[in-house]
Amino acid sequence: MTSTSRPSPAQALQTAHADRTAAVQADPAEPRWLSPAEQHLWRTFMRMRQQLDAQLARQIQAESDISIADFSVLVVLTDVPDGRVRVLELARNLQWEKSRLSHHLARMVKRGLIERAECTEDGRGSFVVITDAGRRAIEAAAPRHVELVRTLFFDPLSEEQVTQLTQISERILGAMEGCPEVLPES
Amino acid sequence: MTSTSRPSPAQALQTAHADRTAAVQADPAEPRWLSPAEQHLWRTFMRMRQQLDAQLARQIQAESDISIADFSVLVVLTDVPDGRVRVLELARNLQWEKSRLSHHLARMVKRGLIERAECTEDGRGSFVVITDAGRRAIEAAAPRHVELVRTLFFDPLSEEQVTQLTQISERILGAMEGCPEVLPES
DNA sequence: CCGATCTGGATGACATGTCAACCAAAGAGG
DNA sequence: CCTCTTTGGTTGACATGTCATCCAGATCGG
């Protein structure tokens, strides 16, 4: 424990009223806590992305027969010429764990949005194919969804900010790929 | 259906190879699809926030006894002098649905991280109080968590980008509060 | 004071996600 | 060919989140 009094976790991460700074720290055992400006950004960012997700999920759920998870699966399937993708390819594309994907695909099959097709080249693999119902479902859901993405996400931003946010996202994403701090197995 | 061929939902939202532009559109029935640059940002942004969440969740789960959800509840509790908060206050602070919060608090009680205390001023309300075990748990988890937030989120960004992202987040958040497109009831 | 309504919160049924274990087909290496 | 390991994918148990509903205590209008 250093001589400087240690902030509570709340102060370190979340309070708006903390006025300490992330002072000079030579002690490697003491983590580099967040400065007030950083705390503010972290809070705001998390709140923003959470609200954004919630709104998008609620809207698509309320106004169509599919969930946002269904939607993203169907997007990948409609993006490929024959509406037919290997499961693993899907997993990579969506960055979902294979287990999650497997469960979700099973549910989507049950709802008639997709079907499975066996893979002749590789006996263990299998394909996922979009059904007509699936196609109809996503085509019904997409316009309102895109509209909401635009309303909530793009409309408030200037062109400059769009550029900035692109660079920022790429930066953070790049840093994570380089640093498998806790690697997901993929 | 307009005379211009309509893009697939995938093209509208997700493909990298789409080269159409969000052309002039007078038809209000046709949603304003995303331009290639916008599609790229949307994909990148979503991927970034998803990876970020996943890493943070996995790390805290793996290296401590609490989940990231537990963590955020405990953060609020440690932020207040007596470690004692009304449930509704908690819900507002976390922006969680009350149902979710209720379930989660029940689980946390079962694990001994928090306790409940009755509210004398309001017979139906109740307080949540952090226990010693809860305090110990969050204090154990916080340093590594903050460190990872710093590594993954702040370190890759320049000071300028931190400023930019703060403004961007505030903008989007502000737009959502103004627009109850699909209101959460809160 | 009394019913009508609102509010804070809990609950049950169900959808979704995670982890660990499993399994069979595919590739090594000898 | 015959093991050994890898790989693609599934499964079950369990944690978590959502929706609708319910409930008791507060509040409000008379």
Side-chain angles (χ1 to χ4, degrees), chain B residues 152-184:
Chain B
L152 299 183
F153 187 76
F154 286 104
D155 283 353
L157 301 184
S158 69
E159 289 213 10
E160 207 187 347
Q161 288 178 316
V162 169
T163 309
Q164 292 169 356
L165 186 50
T166 303
Q167 287 167 356
I168 289 170
S169 302
E170 281 168 352
R171 222 96 184 323
I172 296 177
L173 201 49
M176 276 188 295
E177 279 155 9
C179 155
E181 174 83 30
V182 178
L183 62 170

Side-chain angles (χ1 to χ4, degrees), chain B residues 3-4 30 44 47 49 51 56 69 83 85 96 120 139 153:
Chain B
S3 60
T4 65
E30 190 70 10
T44 311
R47 194 170 289 261
R49 61 157 215 63
Q51 283 276 106
L56 291 175
V85 175
W96 287 7
T120 47
E139 273 166 11
F153 187 76

Side-chain angles (χ1 to χ4, degrees), chain A residues 88-159:
Chain A
L88 196 74
E89 167 73 6
L90 210 47
R92 252 194 301 273
N93 200 314
L94 296 170
Q95 309 222 244
W96 287 7
E97 299 184 16
K98 56 185 185 168
S99 166
R100 172 184 179 188
L101 184 55
S102 190
H103 281 301
H104 200 89
L105 292 179
R107 291 183 294 245
M108 290 181 73
V109 167
K110 201 167 353 179
R111 283 176 236 146
L113 297 171
I114 59 172
E115 285 170 350
R116 309 192 105 113
E118 63 176 314
C119 177
T120 46
E121 309 106 69
D122 189 332
R124 46 209 164 147
S126 91
F127 278 99
V128 178
V129 194
I130 189 170
T131 62
D132 283 354
R135 218 174 274 279
R136 260 178 276 122
I138 190 176
E139 272 165 12
R144 297 276 299 122
H145 180 71
V146 176
E147 199 117 34
L148 190 56
V149 168
R150 192 171 272 297
T151 306
L152 298 183
F153 187 76
F154 286 104
D155 283 352
L157 301 184
S158 68
E159 291 214 7

Side-chain angles (χ1 to χ4, degrees), chain A residues 22-102:
Chain A
V24 276
Q25 306 192 265
D27 184 352
E30 190 70 10
R32 299 165 297 157
W33 301 105
L34 302 185
S35 75
E38 288 168 336
Q39 290 173 38
H40 177 241
L41 169 54
W42 184 244
R43 286 181 79 103
T44 311
F45 176 77
M46 290 303 264
R47 193 170 290 262
M48 177 269 278
R49 62 158 216 63
Q50 179 183 332
Q51 284 276 107
L52 191 55
D53 272 18
Q55 292 277 334
L56 291 175
R58 226 182 331 262
Q59 187 258 357
I60 206 170
Q61 192 90 29
E63 302 182 7
S64 71
D65 312 328
I66 60 181
S67 72
I68 201 158
D70 299 332
F71 186 86
S72 39
V73 170
L74 293 177
V75 163
V76 178
L77 287 173
T78 50
D79 192 23
V80 77
D82 45 356
R84 189 164 150 288
V85 175
R86 276 292 286 278
V87 172
L88 196 74
E89 167 73 6
L90 210 47
R92 252 194 301 273
N93 200 314
L94 296 170
Q95 309 222 244
W96 287 7
E97 299 184 16
K98 56 185 185 168
S99 166
R100 172 184 179 188
L101 184 55
S102 190

Side-chain angles (χ1 to χ4, degrees), chain B residues 21-33:
Chain B
T21 90
V24 277
Q25 306 192 267
D27 185 350
E30 190 70 10
R32 297 166 297 157
W33 302 103

Side-chain angles (χ1 to χ4, degrees), chain B:
Chain B
M1 198 71 51
T2 66
S3 60
T4 65
S5 83
R6 174 182 195 141
S8 75
Q11 280 171 8
L13 259 179
Q14 298 239 5
T15 66
H17 57 70
D19 51 37
R20 301 169 323 87
T21 90
V24 277
Q25 306 192 267
D27 185 350
E30 190 70 10
R32 297 166 297 157
W33 302 103
L34 301 185
S35 75
E38 288 167 337
Q39 290 171 40
H40 177 241
L41 170 52
W42 184 244
R43 284 181 80 101
T44 311
F45 176 77
M46 291 304 263
R47 194 170 289 261
M48 177 268 278
R49 61 157 215 63
Q50 178 184 332
Q51 283 276 106
L52 192 55
D53 272 19
Q55 292 276 336
L56 291 175
R58 223 179 337 256
Q59 186 260 356
I60 205 170
Q61 192 91 28
E63 302 182 7
S64 70
D65 312 327
I66 59 179
S67 72
I68 202 160
D70 299 333
F71 185 87
S72 40
V73 170
L74 293 177
V75 163
V76 179
L77 287 173
T78 50
D79 192 24
V80 76
D82 45 355
R84 189 165 151 287
V85 175
R86 274 293 285 278
V87 171
L88 196 73
E89 167 72 5
L90 210 46
R92 252 194 300 272
N93 199 314
L94 296 170
Q95 309 223 248
W96 287 7
E97 297 184 19
K98 56 185 187 170
S99 165
R100 172 185 179 188
L101 184 55
S102 189
H103 281 301
H104 200 87
L105 292 180
R107 291 184 293 244
M108 290 181 73
V109 167
K110 201 168 350 180
R111 282 175 238 146
L113 297 171
I114 58 171
E115 286 172 349
R116 308 193 106 114
E118 63 175 315
C119 176
T120 47
E121 308 107 66
D122 189 332
R124 51 213 161 145
S126 91
F127 278 99
V128 178
V129 194
I130 189 171
T131 63
D132 283 355
R135 218 175 274 277
R136 259 177 278 122
I138 189 176
E139 273 166 11
R144 297 276 299 122
H145 180 70
V146 176
E147 200 117 33
L148 191 55
V149 168
R150 192 171 272 297
T151 306
L152 299 183
F153 187 76
F154 286 104
D155 283 353
L157 301 184
S158 69
E159 289 213 10
E160 207 187 347
Q161 288 178 316
V162 169
T163 309
Q164 292 169 356
L165 186 50
T166 303
Q167 287 167 356
I168 289 170
S169 302
E170 281 168 352
R171 222 96 184 323
I172 296 177
L173 201 49
M176 276 188 295
E177 279 155 9
C179 155
E181 174 83 30
V182 178
L183 62 170
E185 99 160 73
S186 188

